[in-house]
Amino acid sequence: MPRGPVGPYAFVFWNDDLDDAAVLAQLREIAGAGFVGVTLSARVGLSRRVGYLTPEFLRLVRVAVDECARLGLAVMLYDEASYPSGSANGAVVARDPAFAARCLVPVAHDVVVDGADDAYWRPALGRDLDARLLAVVARPPGGPRDGDGVLLPVRAPGLVRLDLPAGAWRVTAVFDAASGGTIRGAHPEQDDGHALAPPAADLLDPGAVAAFLELTHDAYAAALGDHLGTTVVAMFTDEPFLLGRGHRPHARPYTPGLEAEVAASLDVATGEVLRRLPELWDAGDGARPGGTDPASTGFARAWDDAVRARLHRVYYDAQAAWCARHGIALTGHPAEPDDLATAARMHWPGQDTVWRWVLPPASGGDGTALDGSESAAPKVAASAARARGGTPAVTEALGAYGWRLTLDEARWLLDWYLSRGVTTPVLHAFFSSVRGGRAFESEPDLGRWNSWWPHLPALVGYVRRVAELLAAALPVWPVGVLSRPDAATSGPVVRALLEAQVDFGYTTDGVGHAELVDPADGVPDVVSLKERLRAAGAPVVEAAPPAPDLRVVVLADGAGYVCFHEGERTVRTALRLSGLPADACWWDPFTDTCRPVERDADGRVPLVLERRRTLALVAAGGRKVAAAPPAPGRRVEVTGWRGAVERVVGDLDDVRDDPATVVPDALGLGDWTAVPALRRFAGSVRYVATADLPDGAGAARLNLGAVGDAATVTVNGTVVGHALAAPHVVDVPAGALRAGPNVVEVLVSNNAAVYYEGDRCPSGLIGPVTLTL
């Protein structure tokens, strides 16, 4: 099974009328930005001329993969038109309508039986001619009680004789019916809510899944056979929903014969399972998009377990077997973020985080990194990957965060994943087009249509370097947190461990960890836990003073430590570590520079870590170790800035609210949206100033002050650094500055929401700008 390169992949959206030139140009841009691979995906907006899985579509895929081979990009194929996966843009159901997603739906009827005469009821599910009456169960009122139902016989033509003792009864008819769920298709008229939205397939039906594999996977194999297992490294399956999107109310997942599997698991007769079906709705409609409810108990729990087991066997295992036969990995992510067991069915387990559900504290995300099911996603992917022997852990990241997403937030989110062991983020997404409404379909575009595009390679390079470091020496997880297979633990237990720099993995059996934490026992005492770990010879990290925003990853085989910052204020602490690598240095993977390591009188390692910064304590390994940044000394304010527009998102004439306004020949320091002609301007402005310096200028620190949003700094014609998040500070290496005049250029790009959504985001080099010598 190919392991594939770790590091960032670009999730490519084919969402317009594509041709060879457009496909090739985008791939070359992505390769030039430093990505290790791409995920090729048909998306809402794809033209009918190209079509989905048509000869023209597959020809373009071949063109793209051939080019990726030339560029050295790995390829993940995407197994659906848009999402969720499993329906081949509706072609599965078109082949056989019986392959449509199925569900159970209740119809309740309250009656009072007086015993004076036979009473009948003809239950019906509207005018659904294909609905099958599976069971009719009568239960006394007064609240649900497990196993208190009476299974009633059904007479032709669908009449139920209410042969019951006198009294009040709630009679529930349970129908097997098409769920009515759909997927988001490839073409504009196939999106949610459209009459032509493709029907979701029954992922619990082996026949439907076999049709899906034939229509999609086999078509890819025929077009790309010689690339499978080389350039093509994986197939990406995307959050399959058993019921489909927009399904019937009160639906629960079903496929014919499932009741027999539940009966076998409970060691009861099938009739007993039918009698208890109404219990599926006793707790309300708590099913998640995947169709099951992690809070279910009793009979509902047994039903959900059978659904999940069948999904694993029929859908995921069939996909995995196909991929294995063709020399590629199955990857992607399940429908729920904390579903450990389902993620583990993939060769490269994955998860995703979308829709601003997880955010840094500065963006109003206090607690989202540690609390709630979404917060478990990165550890779920990494834990499942670890259980498979350390295969790549995948995430679909940044999706649908909106045009307001900043590089500051993107850096935090990617660090959040990296610090928890994810090594293969798939950055969502790179749009082929933003024509019309395409700009607002799971936005933002992360590529050419975003104002930050000139600065993205710096972030991509950083993620690649950290991912390669983590993959080369897997993080040590001395603690296992016991979790249910379908609902990994989050909240106080996880918070206590991570804020005390105790790394962990989720486990269902406790194998492979020095210590186990059972959430049922409450929040662990981390002090005593660390004492036990130390006694067992496990590496322990102590921070004094405590640093709850610090995440320390211990690398295997004594390879070192990686310190991530998850908060908003500078971390100032000292670390007591289990050992240091030989010739240790502080390596900054963002700037790819090294600094010397110091120790205090107690042998601890002092650490000052600014927000949105990462430092790795590793062996220098031939890297040049430069002197520490200059201590606060002489400060020189750099003035006389003149800025000129260099790059525009959209047409500059289109963003001027007043046609009479004129863009100034030169911009000074300040927010450029205050200039009427630039009120809706998103793009890049290059600012230039001259700094006269005395003899002996060595390494220096350039503080840009306030910046909206990202900056790249050039000194005397050489790029010396990037500032993608506050504090917008760049260390200028020795030799870059000289005595006399020095030309300093700062390319600043603002937030694209200024153009796409009319937001009033601070934009430009606002300053003040100072050099510390």
Side-chain angles (χ1 to χ4, degrees):
M1 188 64 58
R3 299 185 69 85
V6 298
Y9 284 64
F11 203 148
V12 176
F13 280 8
W14 284 3
N15 65 347
D16 211 326
D17 190 30
L18 304 178
D19 57 22
D20 294 29
V23 168
L24 296 175
Q26 186 177 30
L27 292 173
R28 291 164 187 166
E29 288 177 343
I30 288 168
F35 284 89
V36 303
V38 296
T39 302
L40 300 176
S41 169
R43 195 69 180 194
V44 175
L46 185 67
S47 72
R48 284 284 184 179
R49 183 193 67 82
V50 172
Y52 176 64
L53 297 178
T54 62
E56 174 62 6
F57 176 85
L58 293 170
R59 188 193 67 78
L60 284 172
V61 172
R62 178 74 198 209
V63 167
V65 175
D66 284 345
E67 181 67 4
C68 287
R70 190 187 70 80
L71 295 169
L73 292 171
V75 175
M76 296 179 184
L77 300 172
Y78 188 84
D79 70 358
E80 186 54 78
S82 202
Y83 68 95
S85 291
S87 302
N89 203 42
V92 171
V93 178
R95 172 171 290 188
D96 186 344
F99 288 160
R102 310 296 299 177
C103 67
L104 296 183
V105 184
V107 175
H109 179 54
D110 291 324
V111 299
V112 176
V113 177
D114 60 14
D117 193 7
D118 288 344
Y120 292 90
W121 174 46
R122 191 191 72 82
L125 192 62
R127 293 181 177 178
D128 190 336
L129 302 183
D130 294 325
R132 178 173 65 105
L133 185 56
L134 189 62
V136 180
V137 181
R139 296 196 293 172
R145 293 187 299 275
D146 291 350
D148 62 355
V150 177
L151 186 64
L152 298 175
V154 178
R155 312 289 179 87
L159 289 177
V160 178
R161 183 182 177 190
L162 303 179
D163 188 10
L164 297 165
W169 294 87
R170 164 152 288 194
V171 185
T172 301
V174 179
F175 286 90
D176 158 26
S179 74
T182 60
I183 70 163
R184 302 189 68 210
H187 306 301
E189 69 278 9
Q190 293 182 318
D191 206 349
D192 288 338
H194 288 241
L196 297 180
D202 183 357
L203 306 186
L204 303 178
D205 180 345
V209 173
F212 172 62
L213 296 177
E214 178 187 338
L215 290 161
T216 56
H217 297 48
D218 288 351
Y220 278 129
L224 303 170
D226 52 327
H227 283 299
L228 297 182
T230 53
T231 303
V232 176
V233 296
M235 182 73 75
F236 192 106
T237 193
D238 197 351
E239 56 187 40
F241 290 1
L242 290 175
L243 298 169
R245 298 166 67 85
H247 57 77
R248 293 176 184 268
H250 316 300
R252 298 299 294 262
Y254 180 73
T255 196
L258 185 61
E259 61 272 24
E261 294 187 23
V262 177
S265 71
L266 294 174
D267 194 22
V268 298
T270 301
E272 175 65 9
V273 171
L274 296 176
R275 187 178 68 84
R276 300 190 64 175
L277 285 179
E279 295 176 33
L280 296 178
W281 294 274
D282 281 348
D285 294 329
R288 298 193 289 183
T292 58
D293 181 1
S296 63
T297 58
F299 175 78
R301 162 57 48 187
W303 184 272
D304 283 356
D305 287 346
V307 168
R308 188 175 302 102
R310 186 169 176 116
L311 176 66
H312 291 170
R313 183 178 73 253
V314 172
Y315 182 77
Y316 284 100
D317 290 359
Q319 285 247 50
W322 189 98
C323 290
R325 289 195 303 271
H326 291 81
I328 66 175
L330 174 63
T331 191
H333 57 88
E336 280 88 23
D338 53 354
D339 190 340
L340 184 62
T342 301
R345 310 306 287 199
M346 304 181 200
H347 300 123
W348 300 353
Q351 279 293 349
D352 77 336
T353 304
V354 295
W355 293 112
R356 302 187 73 83
W357 289 333
V358 176
L359 287 167
S363 299
D366 285 336
T368 57
L370 297 168
D371 296 323
S373 61
E374 294 294 333
S375 73
K379 276 292 185 186
V380 164
S383 298
R386 186 69 60 90
R388 296 192 68 96
T391 62
V394 176
T395 174
E396 180 187 326
L398 311 182
Y401 265 68
W403 286 110
R404 294 175 179 84
L405 178 70
T406 64
L407 282 173
D408 182 298
E409 292 174 327
R411 168 68 188 266
W412 183 92
L413 283 158
L414 291 167
D415 279 351
W416 179 67
Y417 265 104
L418 290 164
S419 68
R420 286 153 173 81
V422 171
T423 55
T424 307
V426 179
L427 274 57
H428 177 302
F430 291 77
F431 295 8
S432 295
S433 169
V434 291
R435 184 169 61 90
R438 289 167 177 81
F440 304 97
E441 195 277 297
S442 299
E443 68 273 15
D445 168 64
L446 305 182
R448 71 179 90 166
W449 310 112
N450 202 311
S451 50
W452 69 24
W453 175 243
H455 313 278
L456 190 64
L459 181 61
V460 170
Y462 160 76
V463 172
R464 184 171 184 169
R465 287 187 283 271
V466 175
E468 290 171 349
L469 177 66
L470 296 177
L474 289 177
V476 177
W477 292 345
V479 172
V481 174
L482 288 171
S483 294
R484 279 185 21 196
D486 62 330
T489 302
S490 64
V493 170
V494 167
R495 180 183 294 275
L497 294 173
L498 291 181
E499 290 186 345
Q501 293 78 52
V502 178
D503 211 350
F504 72 92
Y506 289 124
T507 179
T508 57
D509 56 15
V511 175
H513 299 279
E515 283 284 327
L516 290 180
V517 170
D518 187 346
D521 298 331
V523 177
D525 179 348
V526 293
V527 174
S528 60
L529 176 62
K530 286 186 173 183
E531 291 175 353
R532 295 194 300 273
L533 291 172
R534 194 176 290 110
V540 173
V541 176
E542 297 281 5
D549 292 333
L550 179 64
R551 307 287 176 262
V552 179
V553 172
V554 182
L555 301 177
D557 303 321
Y561 307 83
V562 188
C563 300
F564 296 90
H565 193 333
E566 205 159 286
E568 299 299 328
R569 296 182 178 179
T570 300
V571 169
R572 302 179 187 276
T573 189
L575 302 179
R576 188 177 300 281
L577 305 169
S578 299
L580 291 179
D583 72 328
C585 69
W586 282 116
W587 175 52
D588 183 336
F590 183 75
T591 61
D592 197 16
T593 57
C594 294
R595 304 292 186 192
V597 176
E598 299 177 355
R599 291 176 181 264
D600 65 17
D602 295 327
R604 300 176 304 175
V605 177
L607 173 64
V608 177
L609 193 61
E610 294 175 327
R611 73 185 292 277
R612 307 297 186 267
R613 299 295 191 271
T614 300
L615 287 174
L617 193 54
V618 295
R623 299 184 183 97
K624 180 181 178 180
V625 180
R634 180 186 173 193
R635 292 189 177 183
V636 177
E637 184 170 357
V638 183
T639 59
W641 292 96
R642 294 174 64 84
V645 173
E646 181 165 303
R647 182 175 181 271
V648 181
V649 172
D651 185 333
L652 187 58
D653 289 335
D654 290 341
V655 304
R656 297 172 180 168
D657 292 331
D658 180 357
T661 60
V662 177
V663 178
D665 291 335
L667 295 169
L669 295 184
D671 184 344
W672 75 51
T673 63
V675 177
L678 299 180
R679 168 61 185 85
R680 287 187 53 241
F681 166 60
S684 304
V685 169
R686 185 173 295 275
Y687 298 83
V688 181
T690 300
D692 286 306
L693 300 177
D695 291 338
R701 171 161 281 198
L702 181 66
N703 189 328
L704 301 176
V707 174
D709 279 329
T712 295
V713 177
T714 301
V715 174
N716 296 322
T718 300
V719 174
V720 297
H722 307 270
L724 310 185
H728 290 90
V729 174
V730 171
D731 290 324
V732 181
L737 296 168
R738 59 197 178 211
N742 291 264
V743 178
V744 182
E745 301 175 49
V746 183
L747 181 70
V748 176
S749 304
N750 68 339
N751 192 301
V754 171
Y755 169 66
Y756 288 104
E757 299 189 353
D759 274 13
R760 190 66 177 265
C761 303
S763 301
L765 184 59
I766 299 170
V769 182
T770 58
L771 262 173
T772 301
L773 303 174

